[in-house]
Amino acid sequence: QNEVPLATTLLSLKTAHSSPFHFYTVFNTAPAPNAAQVKEIIPYLSYVSLFCPNETEASLITGIQVTDKATAFAACERLHTMGVEDVVITLGKQGYVIASAKSEEGPRHFNATKAAAVDTTGAGDCFVGTMAFYLSQGASLEESCAAANVAAGLSVTKKGTQSSYPSWKELQEALSTKL
């Protein structure tokens, strides 16, 4: 979303979240924001239903150096105190962490799909896009991330960004063997 002017993204988050319909908002900060953008983003985190940064972006926003699942757990807790409801932090080959402020079980870690990586460019976008699609179809956050994990795992096995994303058929075939 940071390819869109930040002011536009932040106003959209605030408007959607504050509407009478209280839309579930998703914010992905890729590419990583600079220090000035971080200062702009922080006051708007309370309008974010689901924040989905990678480890670098999570580090910039929280001030916690995210390098593994333990530091990702700490970053999730910090993001909850900053007003975010749900958090998914992607950790590349280390997988991802899910945390919900409404859950009593705390953050949970999931391993990345095993893949012979050729090119990881765009894997995060593939993950977030797939996750958002499954959420829009009524899947739970955990189910959506599981499908996104498989899609991102497939995407790293090919060169390119969008051209590496699996087709619907490829994803469904992979999901039938993984889930």
Side-chain angles (χ1 to χ4, degrees):
Q1 284 166 293
N2 276 349
E3 282 99 3
V4 174
L6 185 57
T8 302
T9 298
L10 297 177
L11 180 60
S12 297
L13 288 168
K14 182 178 180 180
T15 301
H17 198 269
S18 301
S19 81
F21 302 105
H22 188 72
F23 291 107
Y24 189 81
T25 58
V26 179
F27 186 31
N28 173 250
T29 49
N34 62 39
Q37 290 172 320
V38 168
K39 287 180 183 178
E40 286 182 71
I41 290 168
I42 289 174
Y44 285 84
L45 290 176
S46 62
Y47 302 112
V48 177
S49 306
L50 171 58
F51 188 52
C52 190
N54 65 21
E55 64 268 54
T56 301
E57 297 149 4
S59 298
L60 292 168
I61 299 291
T62 65
I64 296 169
Q65 188 62 38
V66 177
T67 57
D68 55 24
K69 73 178 183 179
T71 52
F73 285 4
C76 287
E77 297 299 333
R78 171 87 43 90
L79 287 162
H80 289 320
T81 67
M82 298 168 91
V84 177
E85 293 175 39
D86 298 325
V87 180
V88 174
I89 298 177
T90 58
L91 302 168
K93 66 182 177 181
Q94 294 183 69
Y96 60 97
V97 169
I98 298 176
S100 177
K102 297 175 188 171
S103 173
E104 293 182 16
E105 64 183 299
R108 292 168 293 146
H109 175 262
F110 298 86
N111 291 321
T113 298
K114 295 206 183 307
V118 173
D119 183 359
T120 60
T121 308
D125 291 335
C126 182
F127 184 100
V128 173
T130 304
M131 176 191 68
F133 169 77
Y134 275 87
L135 285 170
S136 77
Q137 301 303 300
S140 70
L141 182 58
E142 188 170 329
E143 293 166 334
S144 298
C145 287
N149 189 30
V150 171
L154 290 169
S155 78
V156 302
T157 64
K158 302 177 202 165
K159 284 209 168 285
T161 52
Q162 290 180 4
S163 61
S164 73
Y165 298 170
S167 68
W168 179 251
K169 182 180 177 190
E170 290 170 325
L171 179 58
Q172 294 310 303
E173 287 172 359
L175 287 171
S176 71
T177 62
K178 300 268 185 205
L179 302 176

